[in-house]
Amino acid sequence: MKRRLAREIVVQSLYQMEMNEEATTASAVDMLVDEVHAENEIEADAADVGKVDDYIRSLLQGVIEHKAAIDDMLQHYLTGWQVDRLSRVDRQILRLACYELVFRDDAPPKAIINEAIELAKHFGTDESGRFVNGVLGRLLHALDELKPKA
């Protein structure tokens, strides 16, 4: 549950950063954390948010640091689409999932994909879940080739 909450906040932060080009990773996360304490529209437990704060910031920073490489990878697995033509929500969900799949090793790939599909269903359109599943499914087949060599 806490990782799902962290992913929700990361997706919302990435979206906010894209909408407001001047936002930093810290300000994007801080705004959402402040919102949890004030209005709590995302219906999160403030204590849970506090427990995953470092994880949220780590994910967000990782996506930002690897954004160009992530977008290049996604472009390869988007059939008939361009990364910059995707809906903003789908783009952020795919970026986060791609980052977790390729650059991290702390969650099983199928769990990451399932979470991305659920986020797409929650934040995206009726088609988003299937779309995200298709893109990440293609990426998953080449995961061993995509992971950076240690």
Side-chain angles (χ1 to χ4, degrees):
M1 174 60 189
K2 290 182 182 81
R3 283 187 181 225
R4 175 170 289 184
L5 173 61
R7 289 180 178 111
E8 284 182 22
I9 292 173
V10 170
V11 167
Q12 290 174 318
S13 297
L14 288 166
Y15 183 89
Q16 178 190 356
M17 290 174 68
E18 187 169 302
M19 293 297 292
N20 178 7
E21 295 175 2
E22 295 159 15
T24 64
T25 56
S27 68
V29 172
D30 290 344
M31 189 210 70
L32 287 166
V33 170
D34 290 346
E35 187 275 329
V36 167
H37 291 290
E39 299 168 22
N40 202 6
E41 289 179 10
I42 63 173
E43 300 176 3
D45 183 333
D48 286 344
V49 173
K51 291 176 186 171
V52 293
D53 187 71
D54 289 341
Y55 184 66
I56 292 166
R57 292 173 195 278
S58 171
L59 287 176
L60 187 59
Q61 191 61 40
V63 172
I64 298 304
E65 285 176 10
H66 297 282
K67 184 178 169 187
I70 290 168
D71 284 357
D72 286 345
M73 283 180 230
L74 288 174
Q75 188 58 58
H76 184 74
Y77 296 98
L78 287 168
T79 307
W81 288 87
Q82 297 291 318
V83 172
D84 61 344
R85 302 285 297 178
L86 297 175
S87 79
R88 285 186 170 110
V89 171
D90 291 350
R91 183 169 44 243
Q92 306 320 327
I93 292 167
L94 286 168
R95 282 176 174 160
L96 173 58
C98 183
Y99 168 69
E100 284 193 90
L101 287 167
V102 175
F103 295 99
R104 292 183 71 112
D105 265 339
D106 57 348
K110 290 190 179 193
I112 294 166
I113 292 172
N114 286 336
E115 287 287 324
I117 293 166
E118 291 304 313
L119 287 170
K121 288 178 183 176
H122 180 72
F123 290 117
T125 66
D126 292 340
E127 316 302 319
S128 293
R130 286 192 303 270
F131 178 74
V132 165
N133 185 34
V135 174
L136 294 178
R138 287 188 293 276
L139 189 142
L140 182 62
H141 290 300
L143 194 55
D144 290 338
E145 298 167 24
L146 296 173
K147 284 194 170 276
K149 305 298 181 231

